[in-house]
Amino acid sequence: MLRQKAFVKKTKSGKVLKVVKEHYLRDDIWCSAEACKECGHTETVLSATPSINKLFPLPHYIIPDTNIFMNQIDVMEKPQITNVIVLQTVLEEVKHLSLPIYKRVRDMISNKEKHFYVFSNEHHRETFIEKLKDESPNDRNDRAIRVATKWYANHIKDLKPQVSVVMMTDDAANRSKGTADGLQAVSVKWYIEALDNTELLDMISDSRELDDGQQLIYSEHLTPAHLSNGIKTGKFHQGKLGISSHNYLEGSVFTKIDGIEGTILIVGRENLNRAVDGDIIAVELLPKSEWRTTPTGVVVDEEEEKEEEESLKAEQKAASEHKEDVTMTDATKTATTTSALLDTPQPCGKVVGIIRRNWRQYCGFIDRKSVHTPAGSSAPINVLFYAMDSKIPKIKIRTRQAHSLLGQRIIVSIDSWPKTSKFPIGHFIRSLGEAGDKSTETEVLLLEHDVPFHEFSKQVLSFLPVEGENWVVQPEHFNGREDFRDLPVCSIDPPGCTDIDDALHVVALPNGNYQVGVHIADVTHFVKPGNVMDAEAASRGTTVYLVDKRIDMLPGLLGTNLCSLRSNVERLAFSCIWELNQDAEIVKVRFTKSVIASKASLTYEEAQNRIDDERMQDDITQGIRTLNTLAKKLKQKRLDMGALTLASPEVRFSLERDTQDPVDVEMKELKETNALVEEFMLLANISVARKIFEKFPDSAMLRCHPTPPASSFEKLEKAVARMGITIDHSTSKTLSESLDNAVLPEEPYFNKLLRIMTTRCMMQAVYFCSGAKIEQEFRHYGLATDIYTHFTSPIRRYSDVMVHRQLHAAIDSDISYGNELTDKESMNELCNVLNHRNRMAQQAARSSVELFTHLFFKNKVQEEEGYVIRILKNAFIVLVPKYGIEGIVYASAKAHKTTAAVDATATTAVATTTPAAGQPILVYNPETDSLQSTEPLAEGESPKIQIQLFQKVMVQISIDDDLKGGGEGGMRQKLKMDLLKPWVEGISVHGICNKDDPEAHAVTSSLHAADKSNSLKRETEAPATPKRADKRSKA
Amino acid sequence: MSRVELLSPEGLRIDGRRPAELRKITSTTAVLSQADGSAYLEHGNTKVLAAVYGPREARHRALVLHDRAIINVEFNVAPFSTGERRRRTKNDKRLLEMASFVKQTFEPVVVTTLYARSQIDIYLQIIQHDGGTLQACINAATMALIDAGIAMTDYVCACTAGWVEREAAIDLNHIEESSDTSEVTVAMLPKSGKITLMQMESRLHVDKLEEVLSLAGEGCKQMHVVMDKTIRDRAEDLAAKMAV
């Protein structure tokens, strides 16, 4: 073994430092070719008979260069590409350029079927090369690749069966140098073309071909050096671009302007200058004269009429997603709107450079209008791709299979966005299946929310107990555990729940107190820190619950069997045992690992029935009754402390057994027993939080719910003030009281509605590491407790797994644990990951509900009562409590083009003065935060039509599939809501009638018109109840 | 988690070694003519000079032990030993601590009872620093003591081992040391296998300790072979000279 030394100079953070590193060159790095007898390898990666390509006479191994991986990673991942030698030089360069791609390369390398071998050429005596004088690092690396290829070519030339190596590079100069050295060199395109596979061909990213525009559309981005200089001097501002979900040509950056945090608005294609949502960009402020006052202008592009319609559609899409941006964004939005109200122009800017792209793969569909070739043609054409995410601009891709991809959901990734191209240029990756199909759409929503849903790998499963299903509690498990098998433990869960992670018991003590125990599945007994299963669970973060399926965090064997606290089997548990007195005050608390045998697994309903059924007098039932009374006391105490009772419109679908199609929707019902379980879980979480914080003051995993900023309540406060209700949100207690008092006798749903809307003003609860915040910030606002964590659901949340480990370390000083429990930094990182995963899981769950709502409303038109929950500039959002759905209703005529077209005859029959398309019929009035009709008003007269928050309206719900199969609306499958009551000319539609029969329509609609004008009066009068009128005159 | 990949999935460390491989070791003895014994040792890029004076009369009467010699260790790091020039004061606690480690290591091995009422001085100077200073110092001191002809029961061979990413590795260099790696230094008497020093400053999972320790032990044995060869070569050289 020969050793040599190489000296490398390196600079670090401004300082010039000479770093001397040793570099040992080796003779024992093997070629890993199966047929090679010369090398001392024991296991080989490269097969003896690799595939043959028409271009080359011999079976061959491929040696790609860095750019092949950087640009064509999608192609490389295809199963057709096998037997690749990944050079260390290449791998290191890839890692340096892009970590995500590096990860994907590593995944391929670990996949045995791909036969990817890493050749550590930089440590090999014969393939290591010194950098020559005046040689750039890139040139050196290219030469290193050639040298390694040459070495391989020589090394394997005498093998039987014969094989060769092929260098794959898109760099023509490198290719020609390679050929000059007597190597076989090829570009990806040639190689793939010789494979005769259209799908693969589509996946080659080749930006030159798509870049047809010669004229410059965008201005040049500045160089990185220029940018960092500008940012330092304060000329540019750096931040992450967030595109408005209403309009993809409008974005904003949250950054510091002259030391004050603020948002810079970026409006229009030119100003956005090729930035895509999520990119880290550098922005230059525009002169003050170009600042805008309103953040929600609709952009009109003269080059493309579709544009406007599109942005409206985009808005439509956005509307249904509104419920997603519940907290933070809402807060900022309200803030921006209020500033708009004050008429101060918002700072506007333009993108001067991109610091880091944040492109990912996008799910979406091909625009039918952009496919111009006759059906069946397989000539390559350029088509436009719409991403499901409305924040993403259209992407131009080149495909040979446009026709077969129409109507399908596909995945596309962006390759580049040259300044001559209006749209970013990308390439096709794969097709997910028919649009509208349940499984396809589910996959789309999982992908869009970044939910890892692949099967657990063999490696992960190898960490399961070897006994599998037959695992039972063994005598040695009792070491360090208490035996609670005789206690009357039972579990209460929703029906159909298979991952039972909590169980309860209560025993009356001789002194009149109660011993109450919460037993949580002991997941950490099976999931040891640092192993592959643990790492997988940590990266999944949480189990994701969709309407029709569950994406598990832990393999099913653990989640639904070995950890699940099922009845009548012995299971390992982590128990929290309190002594509570008659007033449900904690006298003592202790934690212990234990073995339990649950006596019954009940559903909420069964438990409730047991409580109510007086004939039942067994231990379990008695216990549940005791727990129930204790829970009520606990709840009362909590409410007295100022805990909030909030609400969200959650629905449950009844699914058809075989097809899993939704047949009915119902609101989720809450029973007393739900509260019972909840109370004890809260109690356990709080007790555990205190314990682990005591043991790990710097690194305990806790959960907090920040106090919402006053600004997020502004709008709501104003709206309810009109009804004579005040909301005091200074503390959670006052807020809870004012919510309790906010009851309108004539509107029973009002209180619930108010709670729903208050929920949306809240911040999101987050995990954090106790060392990262000051103790005052630990507070959980919603639960009104000073410290909180998650301990009770380790099967479905990774945070709880960490808390279990910390608690175990806190109660048992003998156990050994690594720094994963004590390292503040890594704990912080983990918290961020978990918060992200949780948010995504929530959104995915909501999207899933949305998807099923769509399926439910497919081919249905329903008329329902709804409430206005939000007013936008040119639209308002209606919540229909019965289905828990929200929809947007437009205040301008343009949005109803399709309806208007169908109703053409009807409209002319009824109203001769339909406003011109695009013109708003209802105008936003910032003073009252309402939309009102535009007729001229006399002093003091209120407008004829007014749409306000909380107003009750009738809407017609249907699925917007007029353009099914190609148009955007159909592909995005949006729920459409049309206003029925109050009747507003040009906006409202008529009740259910046969739209295909214009005559019948004309008759009914004229009838309706007469009818509606009456109801209109009623409606406009209705809000002016005496009480409110008083308030207004006072104001 | 450190961002640097210390151990590639191919099983190579950043400098191209495999986990169980030592760095290149070069050593010579009798490099200083003034000292009674001296040694120069390189562990890769870590370079140490050791000088031994004594046994000689103790400097301070108060410290003299009537039945054995006292061992005095001074440890110093040259300001130019690292990439960034840094001067350390004489009373730097880390330097004193290091010196006391070395002292503790040798007290049971040097047969001090032979040199009653005297003092043995060991001066250690780090000339270049690239990780593993303590092991290098102990190894250099051993050779310098042998060179000085001071009676010892055995060689003292030291080696570090640590848990690098997912495997135990020996003889960590500076980059590996500085990325939050748990590191154990073991000083061993290779013939008896007795351990005279085991020092660790970071946390290491107890399950991994066994593996790390046994690897460090292996390292000590390898060190012994290298050091023994140098000493024997030197002795042969001297013998050859005396024969002339």
Side-chain angles (χ1 to χ4, degrees):
Chain A
M1 199 162 47
L2 182 102
R3 288 163 171 172
Q4 276 180 14
K5 285 174 193 173
F7 298 91
V8 192
K9 274 181 201 168
K10 204 176 163 189
T11 56
K12 260 186 197 168
S13 65
K15 273 184 195 163
V16 178
L17 251 185
K18 187 175 176 191
V19 176
V20 183
K21 287 181 189 167
E22 281 179 296
H23 193 163
Y24 292 91
L25 299 180
R26 324 184 58 101
D27 285 330
D28 65 346
I29 292 168
W30 316 124
C31 71
S32 201
E34 198 181 337
C36 177
K37 299 279 179 293
E38 209 177 298
C39 290
H41 45 224
T42 45
E43 251 178 76
T44 55
V45 178
L46 301 168
S47 83
T49 49
S51 54
I52 305 179
N53 187 299
K54 277 195 285 186
L55 280 178
F56 304 102
L58 285 177
H60 53 268
Y61 304 133
I62 305 166
I63 304 186
D65 77 351
T66 314
N67 284 329
I68 300 288
F69 282 116
M70 292 306 294
N71 300 332
Q72 315 289 2
I73 180 82
D74 298 322
V75 177
M76 297 307 283
E77 275 174 345
K78 280 281 154 181
Q80 285 90 337
I81 307 286
T82 53
N83 286 298
V84 171
I85 298 164
V86 187
L87 298 179
Q88 188 194 1
T89 318
V90 172
L91 202 58
E92 273 168 14
E93 266 193 298
V94 169
K95 187 181 177 188
H96 186 70
L97 291 168
S98 159
L99 265 182
I101 291 184
Y102 173 74
K103 268 202 175 135
R104 288 166 72 182
V105 176
R106 274 286 173 205
D107 282 347
M108 286 194 280
I109 292 164
S110 55
N111 181 352
K112 289 235 158 51
E113 279 154 32
K114 292 284 281 176
H115 297 286
F116 272 48
Y117 173 64
V118 180
F119 181 66
S120 305
N121 63 320
E122 300 283 357
H123 292 308
H124 192 286
R125 186 156 60 105
E126 285 165 52
T127 55
F128 172 76
I129 52 163
E130 285 291 348
K131 186 168 137 344
L132 297 178
K133 206 171 168 248
D134 299 329
E135 193 179 33
S136 78
N138 269 335
D139 289 343
R140 189 216 87 104
N141 287 344
D142 283 347
R143 192 159 61 87
I145 294 166
R146 289 199 301 274
V147 168
T149 313
K150 181 129 192 161
W151 179 86
Y152 252 103
N154 280 331
H155 183 78
I156 63 175
K157 65 173 187 280
D158 295 327
L159 293 187
K160 294 276 178 267
Q162 272 197 313
V163 276
S164 62
V165 282
V166 172
M167 182 168 86
M168 192 188 262
T169 173
D170 280 346
D171 178 356
N174 196 7
R175 267 201 310 267
S176 62
K177 275 185 199 159
T179 351
D181 278 356
L183 302 173
Q184 291 179 309
V186 69
S187 85
V188 187
K189 202 160 164 229
W190 300 346
Y191 191 86
I192 300 293
E193 268 168 358
L195 283 177
D196 285 329
N197 186 321
T198 45
E199 202 197 340
L200 278 183
L201 264 176
D202 273 2
M203 291 173 59
I204 299 181
S205 90
D206 192 349
S207 21
R208 270 160 305 169
E209 249 177 63
L210 278 155
D211 190 8
D212 48 7
Q214 294 312 311
Q215 91 228 62
L216 292 183
I217 299 173
Y218 300 102
S219 47
E220 189 98 47
H221 286 152
L222 301 177
T223 58
H226 213 118
L227 289 178
S228 62
N229 250 337
I231 289 164
K232 248 180 223 155
T233 56
K235 191 174 161 211
F236 304 144
H237 304 277
Q238 179 181 340
K240 188 171 174 178
L241 178 69
I243 296 282
S244 149
S245 46
H246 297 255
N247 182 345
Y248 78 84
L249 290 178
E250 188 183 290
S252 58
V253 170
F254 188 73
T255 179
K256 270 191 176 165
I257 312 166
D258 302 331
I260 306 155
E261 289 195 334
T263 328
I264 302 176
L265 215 59
I266 305 162
V267 183
R269 233 185 253 289
E270 281 77 37
N271 287 341
L272 277 172
N273 197 359
R274 293 173 279 156
V276 178
D277 183 58
D279 289 351
I280 309 288
I281 52 168
V283 187
E284 186 179 14
L285 281 179
L286 291 171
K288 269 208 171 119
S289 56
E290 287 173 47
W291 288 12
R292 301 171 59 137
T293 48
T294 58
T296 44
V298 174
V299 181
V300 185
D301 191 337
E302 62 277 17
E303 289 169 282
E304 202 177 68
E305 306 126 29
K306 280 184 291 179
E307 205 68 78
E308 194 189 346
E309 183 188 318
E310 210 165 80
S311 62
L312 281 166
K313 288 254 170 60
E315 252 183 285
Q316 208 160 6
K317 156 111 178 143
S320 51
E321 274 165 12
H322 267 303
K323 48 188 169 197
E324 297 179 4
D325 54 7
V326 180
T327 52
M328 286 297 287
T329 45
D330 243 15
T332 50
K333 258 183 208 152
T334 2
T336 48
T337 339
T338 25
S339 62
L341 291 180
L342 300 170
D343 253 347
T344 42
Q346 268 239 279
C348 287
K350 67 167 191 229
V351 177
V352 289
I354 308 245
I355 292 157
R356 202 175 35 149
R357 287 289 189 190
N358 211 355
W359 290 341
R360 55 183 176 98
Q361 299 186 342
Y362 303 100
C363 295
F365 50 91
I366 291 176
D367 183 11
R368 170 152 286 176
K369 280 171 274 175
S370 68
V371 181
H372 297 299
T373 51
S377 146
S378 63
I381 49 164
N382 295 348
V383 294
L384 284 179
F385 164 90
Y386 284 99
M388 301 300 289
D389 186 347
S390 60
K391 295 171 183 172
I392 305 302
K394 281 173 277 186
I395 301 168
K396 193 151 68 167
I397 61 168
R398 189 175 177 81
T399 175
R400 288 161 186 78
Q401 33 178 353
H403 289 279
S404 54
L405 291 180
L406 276 179
Q408 294 207 339
R409 297 278 185 236
I410 60 171
I411 304 182
V412 156
S413 98
I414 303 184
D415 298 320
S416 64
W417 197 343
K419 55 183 181 286
T420 50
S421 165
K422 185 165 173 183
F423 301 113
I425 289 166
H427 67 268
F428 165 80
I429 294 175
R430 68 189 170 101
S431 165
L432 296 170
E434 280 304 313
D437 180 65
K438 197 163 54 211
S439 58
T440 311
E441 297 294 342
T442 305
E443 196 173 343
V444 167
L445 76 89
L446 289 173
L447 283 168
E448 282 294 292
H449 291 106
D450 193 18
V451 176
F453 61 98
H454 49 86
E455 296 281 315
F456 287 100
S457 68
K458 277 213 183 82
Q459 241 188 326
V460 170
L461 297 178
S462 70
F463 284 93
L464 292 173
V466 280
E467 299 91 339
E469 299 260 318
N470 304 321
W471 182 92
V472 281
V473 176
Q474 300 288 338
E476 68 262 24
H477 291 132
F478 284 90
N479 284 344
R481 288 179 189 273
E482 285 186 52
D483 186 353
F484 288 154
R485 285 178 297 176
D486 298 332
L487 292 177
V489 175
C490 71
S491 63
I492 309 176
D493 285 284
C497 177
T498 49
D499 46 352
I500 305 171
D501 35 25
D502 49 75
L504 293 154
H505 88 267
V506 64
V507 175
L509 294 175
N511 62 0
N513 288 351
Y514 297 103
Q515 183 200 57
V516 177
V518 163
H519 310 275
I520 307 297
D522 192 7
V523 172
T524 50
H525 176 81
F526 298 97
V527 184
K528 294 293 179 216
N531 72 24
V532 182
M533 184 157 70
D534 181 57
E536 178 72 26
S539 82
R540 291 189 179 218
T542 170
T543 295
V544 181
Y545 292 87
L546 303 182
V547 174
D548 60 335
K549 65 167 162 190
R550 193 179 67 209
I551 315 292
D552 283 324
M553 179 182 88
L554 290 169
L557 177 67
L558 285 187
T560 58
N561 190 349
L562 304 191
C563 291
S564 182
L565 304 176
R566 299 194 291 188
S567 54
N568 302 320
V569 275
E570 291 174 10
R571 287 284 177 251
L572 304 180
F574 207 149
S575 304
C576 177
I577 311 284
W578 298 279
E579 187 179 333
L580 298 183
N581 65 15
Q582 293 287 348
D583 298 325
E585 278 157 0
I586 301 173
V587 181
K588 249 194 290 186
V589 58
R590 67 190 179 93
F591 309 94
T592 176
K593 292 240 174 180
S594 60
V595 180
I596 62 160
S598 171
K599 302 289 174 288
S601 338
L602 308 173
T603 64
Y604 290 125
E605 199 166 351
E606 282 166 3
Q608 189 64 51
N609 291 344
R610 280 191 182 220
I611 294 175
D612 299 339
D613 189 349
E614 281 171 14
R615 285 166 303 171
M616 306 271 291
Q617 289 298 338
D618 56 299
D619 272 5
I620 299 287
T621 313
Q622 298 275 24
I624 298 174
R625 285 191 195 125
T626 320
L627 286 172
N628 198 28
T629 34
L630 286 171
K632 279 183 187 158
K633 285 174 190 161
L634 283 170
K635 182 163 191 181
Q636 194 49 51
K637 265 199 286 187
R638 219 159 45 79
L639 291 178
D640 291 345
M641 293 287 291
L644 294 176
T645 326
L646 298 171
S648 60
E650 277 189 77
V651 291
R652 227 203 357 249
F653 289 91
S654 324
L655 302 180
E656 206 169 278
R657 195 156 284 215
D658 301 327
T659 57
Q660 294 274 302
D661 285 331
V663 288
D664 197 13
V665 190
E666 56 194 64
M667 292 303 286
K668 272 189 187 163
E669 232 184 306
L670 291 179
K671 295 207 163 55
E672 223 175 27
T673 42
N674 286 52
L676 185 163
V677 176
E678 193 190 331
E679 278 320 313
F680 286 104
M681 294 309 134
L682 291 177
L683 195 65
N685 285 337
I686 295 168
S687 299
V688 170
R690 283 192 215 289
K691 184 79 188 173
I692 59 170
F693 178 53
E694 181 189 301
K695 166 83 185 180
F696 298 101
D698 279 343
S699 63
M701 170 160 292
L702 300 175
R703 189 170 170 85
C704 73
H705 184 209
T707 310
S711 60
S712 56
F713 282 102
E714 257 169 48
K715 255 195 162 171
L716 187 63
E717 266 182 322
K718 254 189 202 165
V720 293
R722 278 199 297 274
M723 305 179 181
I725 287 166
T726 47
I727 294 181
D728 182 356
H729 55 80
S730 46
T731 67
S732 56
K733 190 170 166 60
T734 56
L735 180 61
S736 152
E737 275 163 12
S738 39
L739 283 178
D740 289 341
N741 295 333
V743 182
L744 293 184
E746 71 272 19
E747 191 58 88
Y749 192 72
F750 174 75
N751 191 269
K752 176 97 189 275
L753 193 64
L754 187 61
R755 285 181 199 273
I756 291 173
M757 292 179 64
T758 314
T759 313
R760 293 178 186 191
C761 298
M762 295 289 162
M763 309 280 286
Q764 198 131 25
V766 287
Y767 296 110
F768 68 100
C769 158
S770 59
K773 278 187 197 261
I774 53 166
E775 226 173 310
Q776 284 76 18
E777 286 176 14
F778 289 7
R779 255 194 95 68
H780 196 292
Y781 181 82
L783 296 174
T785 161
D786 53 353
I787 192 164
Y788 192 66
T789 191
H790 270 165
F791 167 71
T792 53
S793 303
I795 296 179
R796 59 186 178 88
R797 289 188 304 233
Y798 191 75
S799 52
D800 302 46
V801 174
M802 286 308 279
V803 170
H804 272 233
R805 287 185 187 143
Q806 290 191 325
L807 182 65
H808 192 202
I811 58 165
D812 187 350
S813 46
D814 286 342
I815 64 152
S816 58
Y817 51 91
N819 57 357
E820 75 273 2
L821 297 187
T822 49
D823 185 26
K824 200 166 133 183
E825 285 302 308
S826 60
M827 193 57 97
N828 234 344
E829 252 168 64
L830 180 66
C831 285
N832 289 340
V833 172
L834 293 183
N835 285 332
H836 169 75
R837 287 288 182 215
N838 263 337
R839 218 163 24 240
M840 285 303 158
Q842 263 174 23
Q843 288 179 11
R846 282 199 206 107
S847 301
S848 174
V849 169
E850 202 180 320
L851 171 65
F852 275 79
T853 317
H854 290 167
L855 289 173
F856 179 70
F857 280 104
K858 206 169 182 176
N859 310 324
K860 266 197 200 103
V861 178
Q862 293 266 348
E863 290 179 7
E864 277 306 330
E865 221 168 55
Y867 296 87
V868 177
I869 57 160
R870 203 168 147 187
I871 307 273
L872 297 172
K873 281 266 128 80
N874 59 347
F876 56 94
I877 294 169
V878 175
L879 170 79
V880 178
K882 184 172 174 195
Y883 300 113
I885 52 172
E886 284 169 46
I888 194 162
V889 181
Y890 286 92
S892 34
K894 174 75 184 252
H896 274 269
K897 211 170 118 198
T898 46
T899 335
V902 181
D903 288 10
T905 29
T907 329
T908 40
V910 184
T912 42
T913 54
T914 310
Q919 199 169 345
I921 297 167
L922 295 177
V923 179
Y924 182 70
N925 181 350
E927 273 168 49
T928 52
D929 189 28
S930 64
L931 291 164
Q932 43 187 240
S933 51
T934 47
E935 75 276 347
L937 290 181
E939 188 71 27
E941 190 189 352
S942 55
K944 210 161 75 186
I945 306 164
Q946 211 174 10
I947 302 284
Q948 288 180 317
L949 272 185
F950 296 111
Q951 190 172 331
K952 195 190 224 171
V953 291
M954 280 296 277
V955 286
Q956 176 184 315
I957 308 161
S958 59
I959 289 291
D960 184 9
D961 56 1
D962 290 347
L963 306 163
K964 192 167 182 130
E968 225 206 319
M971 288 307 276
R972 283 213 169 113
Q973 283 239 334
K974 281 296 99 161
L975 198 68
K976 198 173 83 171
M977 274 198 195
D978 294 309
L979 192 61
L980 289 173
K981 256 197 272 182
W983 175 256
V984 182
E985 198 55 67
I987 295 176
S988 300
V989 295
H990 312 289
I992 304 162
C993 62
N994 188 356
K995 285 185 182 177
D996 294 331
D997 185 355
E999 248 181 71
H1001 197 167
V1003 176
T1004 41
S1005 49
S1006 54
L1007 279 173
H1008 271 284
D1011 210 348
K1012 290 289 152 63
S1013 57
N1014 284 335
S1015 65
L1016 176 74
K1017 265 180 209 149
R1018 279 205 306 276
E1019 284 290 331
T1020 40
E1021 275 160 20
T1025 50
K1027 195 167 137 205
R1028 272 170 258 157
D1030 280 351
K1031 278 279 168 193
R1032 213 182 286 166
S1033 57
K1034 259 183 222 161
Chain B
M1 287 284 139
S2 69
R3 298 273 172 253
V4 198
E5 191 179 61
L6 294 177
L7 183 66
S8 77
E10 287 67 51
L12 292 176
R13 289 153 70 174
I14 6 183
D15 53 8
R17 284 183 291 157
R18 293 192 195 278
E21 287 171 357
L22 290 170
R23 287 179 281 181
K24 185 177 168 64
I25 298 155
T26 18
S27 57
T28 42
T29 50
V31 283
L32 306 171
S33 44
Q34 181 97 44
D36 295 316
S38 62
Y40 171 74
L41 180 82
E42 290 180 9
H43 275 252
N45 278 333
T46 300
K47 303 182 179 180
V48 197
L49 194 60
V52 169
Y53 288 87
R56 58 184 180 185
E57 197 178 343
R59 287 270 167 80
H60 305 287
R61 294 237 162 252
L63 296 174
V64 169
L65 299 171
H66 68 92
D67 59 341
R68 57 196 153 102
I70 50 171
I71 296 177
N72 172 43
V73 180
E74 264 180 45
F75 172 76
N76 231 321
V77 178
F80 51 81
S81 64
T82 46
E84 214 171 349
R85 192 182 163 84
R86 198 158 116 218
R87 188 174 282 282
R88 284 172 222 239
T89 58
K90 196 125 195 252
N91 293 326
D92 189 324
K93 285 281 183 298
R94 292 202 62 86
L95 299 185
L96 293 178
E97 188 191 24
M98 201 68 129
S100 96
F101 283 145
V102 177
K103 187 177 162 185
Q104 282 168 30
T105 311
F106 283 100
E107 265 169 351
V109 187
V110 173
V111 191
T112 43
T113 44
L114 288 180
Y115 316 109
R117 308 181 65 79
S118 60
Q119 169 174 347
I120 299 167
D121 290 306
I122 304 174
Y123 297 102
L124 295 162
Q125 178 75 41
I126 295 283
I127 296 167
Q128 190 169 293
H129 173 83
D130 188 25
T133 42
L134 181 58
Q135 57 161 357
C137 285
I138 293 173
N139 293 334
T142 305
M143 290 171 56
L145 283 168
I146 294 172
D147 187 44
I150 291 171
M152 296 197 330
T153 50
D154 198 351
Y155 280 87
V156 183
C157 301
C159 185
T160 56
W163 193 261
V164 177
E165 294 197 2
R166 59 198 178 281
E167 259 184 79
I170 51 169
D171 196 7
L172 307 184
N173 67 22
H174 180 63
I175 304 167
E176 288 166 330
E177 256 184 358
S178 50
S179 2
D180 203 19
T181 316
S182 309
E183 188 188 18
V184 194
T185 302
V186 174
M188 201 187 214
L189 309 184
K191 273 185 201 142
S192 59
K194 278 186 186 157
I195 287 174
T196 67
L197 172 100
M198 191 165 109
Q199 184 257 348
M200 175 165 70
E201 283 176 1
S202 45
R203 296 168 58 92
L204 178 69
H205 199 282
V206 75
D207 298 351
K208 297 164 185 165
L209 185 67
E210 175 98 41
E211 204 178 321
V212 171
L213 277 186
S214 69
L215 198 60
E218 284 302 308
C220 291
K221 285 186 184 133
Q222 287 182 40
M223 277 309 303
H224 175 236
V225 176
V226 177
M227 285 155 68
D228 194 45
K229 186 168 185 306
T230 315
I231 298 291
R232 281 180 196 280
D233 284 356
R234 168 78 184 153
E236 270 167 29
D237 199 29
L238 280 176
K241 274 180 188 158
M242 278 162 78
V244 169

